[in-house]
Amino acid sequence: MIQASNVTLRFGKKPLFEDVNIKFTEGNCYGLIGANGAGKSTFLKILSGELEPNKGEIIITPGQRLSVLEQDHFKYDRYPVLDTVIMGNRRLYEIMKEKDAIYCKEDFTDEDGIRAAELESEFAGMNGWEAESDAATLLNGLGIEQEYHYKYMNELEGPEKVKVLLAQALFGNPDILLLDEPTNHLDLDAIRWLEEFLINFDNTVIVVSHDRYFLNKVCTHTADIDYAKIELYAGNYDFWYESSQLMIKQMKEANKKKEEKIKELQEFIQRFSANASKSKQATSRKRALEKIELDTIRPSSRKYPYINFKPNREIGNEVLTVENLSKTIDGVKVLNNISFTCGHDDKIAFVGNQTQAITTLFKILSGSMEPDEGTYKWGVTTSHSYFPKDNSEYFTKEETIVDWLMPYSPEKDATYVRGFLGRMLFAGDDGIKKVNVLSGGERVRVMLSKMMMLGSNILILDEPTNHLDMESITALNNGLIKFPGVILFASQDHQFIQTIANRIIEITPNGMIDKITTYDEYLDSDEMARKRQALS
């Protein structure tokens, strides 16, 4: 059990948390949600002891071990992968190293023998003999193959490092597990493995994530941060959303009835307060009026951008034909003889672990990269907009957001662009912010603004939910569901794919699978599972 008691944290005069009291108990998984800036990651740091609150305390059941997903991806660069995972149980790792140091001594003394025996006893009690095999099992489950287990962390790529650090957090059955965005940079297979791991995990989990499907799958409770308070709901993310919306609706309906009653009483008092025969009734109604209080309904701190893609022209029957596309990058054949045609109703999700292949395909189709072999042809009625996975090269100049967007605006008017930006949560002077200082989420919203202004009937989107908060993901998701044109997209967000795609294409190292189906049906199909295995 871990508990926050009267926790307050202030930055200057502004309270991030004010007298927060909440208890997280064994056997439950808590999704910690809130708008960007609400303090989700900060609260995890308070729980872990990394950050001290101004007031209050964190209480942990004595003897329980707390494990945290490390955010510094370079911290363990000089350690082997297996050692890094086992460090998740710091005491066990210390025992292993002390034992090794004693046994390596040339002048082994009686005192060394006594100490070694003590360490061996503690080591056995912590299942130390299973440590390497347990660490290897976690790594294998997350997709880190055996050949990497004895490499050093600095030899691994970014996504592989993330998986090792996640295995470290999960290692040794911690009593309390704190996970900040654990699905970031994970492929879909690793996310599914993690979902099953957490569903079967018997201890306490507190997780921050922007992946709605993930939260719905693993969470038994939802802890909502809003207005410096944390309110606990029993149920997953969808249950919280429905409950919170229902609560607001009920409060509004109750207020409406109260307002009608207030109006009725005020009219009676106004009509009969001067009437002697009705004066007692008027006085009684005045007292009744004084007792009526409207419920205070504060608007949520969450803000949803307005995302609505409207094509300037209807798309024809001929959309896209791709024939035998191949591309080699740095000596590696990333695309190998890819062919498919796209229809005017297609919403195609490109899925699987070959993310470089998907990104390369999207670059070629958008015209920003040439293929080595093969051809592609867009239909004459088509116009496309491209959202790249890495958009940093688009935001290097020292110009304002308004100036950056002006060339794409249908109306070359700063007032129009400012109004457009206001709907995308760039209020007031935000429009004159320089684009080279924007955050990742702000850059995504600017790129989406550009795509909406262009009015294309085909959207190519490579991981568009990266850097977005839950509210922006929801708005983008809904905007794409309503979009009448063609969508080619890649995402690691399960719900995003499931609710948008009507066709799935998976590029594997040895071929391509193309199926008209929903994402859930694709994942659950035994036939598709066999094909994926055969082609991998």
Side-chain angles (χ1 to χ4, degrees):
M1 181 275 292
I2 183 169
Q3 178 178 358
S5 178
N6 298 314
V7 166
T8 296
L9 180 69
R10 293 176 176 273
F11 293 120
K13 292 183 179 180
K14 181 185 175 183
L16 191 59
F17 300 108
E18 192 80 59
D19 293 323
V20 168
N21 291 282
I22 189 168
K23 183 188 291 186
F24 304 98
T25 58
E26 186 177 350
N28 292 313
C29 179
Y30 299 85
L32 190 61
I33 65 171
N36 269 8
K40 300 182 293 293
S41 296
T42 302
F43 190 68
L44 287 187
K45 289 179 180 177
I46 292 173
L47 292 175
S48 70
E50 183 182 341
L51 191 63
E52 284 288 327
N54 300 116
K55 191 182 80 171
E57 61 178 337
I58 301 300
I59 303 162
I60 298 177
T61 301
Q64 291 201 335
R65 184 170 70 85
L66 183 145
S67 184
V68 180
L69 175 58
E70 178 62 57
Q71 299 297 308
D72 182 354
H73 297 175
F74 305 98
K75 184 174 180 178
Y76 300 93
D77 271 4
R78 62 190 181 93
Y79 295 98
V81 167
L82 270 180
D83 280 23
T84 301
V85 175
I86 295 170
M87 282 182 197
N89 188 333
R90 176 59 64 174
R91 178 56 189 157
L92 178 61
Y93 184 75
E94 290 170 352
I95 291 171
M96 290 174 64
K97 290 304 164 186
E98 189 177 349
K99 280 197 317 127
D100 291 346
I102 290 173
Y103 292 139
C104 285
K105 284 186 174 183
E106 293 182 4
D107 53 343
F108 192 87
T109 66
D110 290 342
E111 288 78 9
D112 289 332
I114 293 169
R115 179 58 180 159
E118 292 171 349
L119 292 172
E120 290 288 6
S121 177
E122 188 175 356
F123 184 71
M126 299 175 75
N127 291 325
W129 296 112
E130 309 295 328
E132 287 199 5
S133 63
D134 288 347
T137 298
L138 290 171
L139 290 169
N140 291 334
L142 287 164
I144 301 294
E145 296 177 4
Q146 199 80 22
E147 62 184 281
Y148 293 98
H149 293 189
Y150 296 95
K151 290 188 176 184
Y152 281 80
M153 287 288 283
N154 60 5
E155 299 179 69
L156 271 56
E157 299 294 330
E160 294 166 338
K161 282 186 177 181
V162 170
K163 291 180 178 181
V164 175
L165 294 176
L166 181 55
Q168 180 193 76
L170 304 178
F171 177 76
N173 196 37
D175 300 290
I176 300 161
L177 184 55
L178 306 183
L179 300 174
D180 192 354
E181 297 292 357
T183 63
N184 278 4
H185 308 294
L186 291 188
D187 55 73
L188 291 164
D189 288 338
I191 292 172
R192 293 187 87 191
W193 180 90
L194 179 60
E195 288 168 357
E196 292 305 314
F197 181 95
L198 294 179
I199 288 168
N200 295 308
F201 189 70
D202 292 329
N203 298 331
T204 305
V205 183
I206 305 169
V207 59
V208 171
S209 177
H210 288 145
D211 188 328
R212 297 158 296 168
Y213 182 88
F214 178 77
L215 291 177
N216 282 329
K217 194 83 181 285
V218 305
C219 291
T220 60
H221 294 72
T222 301
D224 177 34
I225 303 177
D226 210 355
Y227 293 107
K229 300 289 184 184
I230 303 181
E231 188 161 351
L232 191 61
Y233 294 78
N236 61 18
Y237 177 80
D238 279 351
F239 181 84
W240 162 80
Y241 184 79
E242 291 167 7
S243 299
S244 59
Q245 295 302 305
L246 179 60
M247 189 184 306
I248 293 170
K249 182 181 177 183
Q250 289 173 338
M251 290 172 70
K252 286 181 177 178
E253 288 174 353
N255 274 356
K256 185 178 180 181
K257 290 179 180 178
K258 289 177 183 178
E259 286 167 353
E260 290 171 355
K261 186 65 176 177
I262 288 169
K263 184 178 179 182
E264 178 188 322
L265 292 171
Q266 286 174 335
E267 288 176 351
F268 186 92
I269 292 164
Q270 189 176 1
R271 286 179 61 194
F272 298 111
S273 57
N275 188 320
S277 64
K278 299 276 189 179
S279 62
K280 284 187 178 181
Q281 294 179 42
T283 302
S284 174
R285 282 167 170 73
K286 280 182 183 179
R287 286 196 292 267
L289 182 61
E290 290 168 359
K291 291 178 181 178
I292 298 177
E293 292 183 6
L294 296 176
D295 293 321
T296 302
I297 305 175
R298 290 190 299 181
S300 173
S301 59
R302 292 174 171 82
K303 296 187 184 301
Y304 293 81
Y306 178 76
I307 298 178
N308 187 23
F309 299 97
K310 289 184 178 179
N312 293 333
R313 66 181 297 185
E314 192 174 328
I315 200 165
N317 289 327
E318 292 185 10
V319 178
L320 172 65
T321 302
V322 175
E323 293 184 348
N324 307 317
L325 279 187
S326 295
K327 182 70 179 179
T328 298
I329 299 176
D330 297 330
V332 178
K333 198 154 195 177
V334 177
L335 288 179
N336 186 14
N337 203 31
I338 297 296
S339 299
F340 64 92
T341 58
C342 181
H344 68 279
D345 292 322
D346 280 344
K347 309 284 192 294
I348 307 175
F350 289 79
V351 303
N353 298 335
Q354 305 300 308
T355 56
Q356 187 182 14
I358 296 168
T359 294
T360 301
L361 175 63
F362 286 176
K363 284 182 177 180
I364 291 171
L365 295 180
S366 67
S368 58
M369 181 182 282
E370 289 294 324
D372 295 334
E373 300 172 25
T375 61
Y376 66 94
K377 183 181 179 182
W378 291 105
V380 293
T381 62
T382 64
S383 57
H384 59 267
S385 295
Y386 171 51
F387 182 99
K389 182 187 291 188
D390 180 6
N391 57 37
S392 54
E393 64 180 278
Y394 296 85
F395 297 98
T396 56
K397 292 183 180 178
E398 223 179 275
E399 58 183 340
T400 67
I401 304 175
V402 170
D403 290 339
W404 190 95
L405 277 175
M406 191 68 76
Y408 312 108
S409 174
E411 297 185 27
K412 309 304 178 187
D413 176 67
T415 303
Y416 173 83
V417 176
R418 280 177 176 274
F420 201 98
L421 285 170
R423 294 188 298 175
M424 291 298 287
L425 308 185
F426 293 100
D429 291 339
D430 284 348
I432 58 173
K433 286 176 73 171
K434 298 290 201 279
V435 295
N436 60 343
V437 299
L438 296 178
S439 69
E442 288 173 327
R443 290 205 305 257
V444 170
R445 283 187 275 124
V446 171
M447 290 293 291
L448 293 174
S449 298
K450 169 190 167 183
M451 295 178 78
M452 283 187 280
M453 287 178 169
L454 288 172
S456 303
N457 52 27
I458 296 174
L459 305 178
I460 306 172
L461 302 138
D462 195 357
E463 303 284 0
T465 61
N466 288 357
H467 306 293
L468 290 182
D469 58 21
M470 194 88 79
E471 292 69 42
S472 296
I473 291 172
T474 301
L476 176 59
N477 198 162
N478 292 337
L480 291 177
I481 289 170
K482 292 186 293 184
F483 179 62
V486 169
I487 306 174
L488 312 179
F489 72 104
S491 176
Q492 299 297 324
D493 187 311
H494 186 119
Q495 187 167 338
F496 197 77
I497 301 172
Q498 171 62 19
T499 54
I500 296 170
N502 57 21
R503 179 177 170 188
I504 306 295
I505 291 180
E506 180 172 358
I507 300 173
T508 79
N510 300 306
M512 191 182 84
I513 304 168
D514 186 350
K515 193 78 171 175
I516 297 174
T517 182
T518 67
Y519 186 52
D520 282 345
E521 289 169 346
Y522 180 76
L523 291 176
D524 293 338
S525 166
D526 291 338
E527 177 193 357
M528 290 302 104
R530 286 194 297 273
K531 283 186 179 180
R532 291 198 298 274
Q533 188 174 10
L535 288 170
S536 297

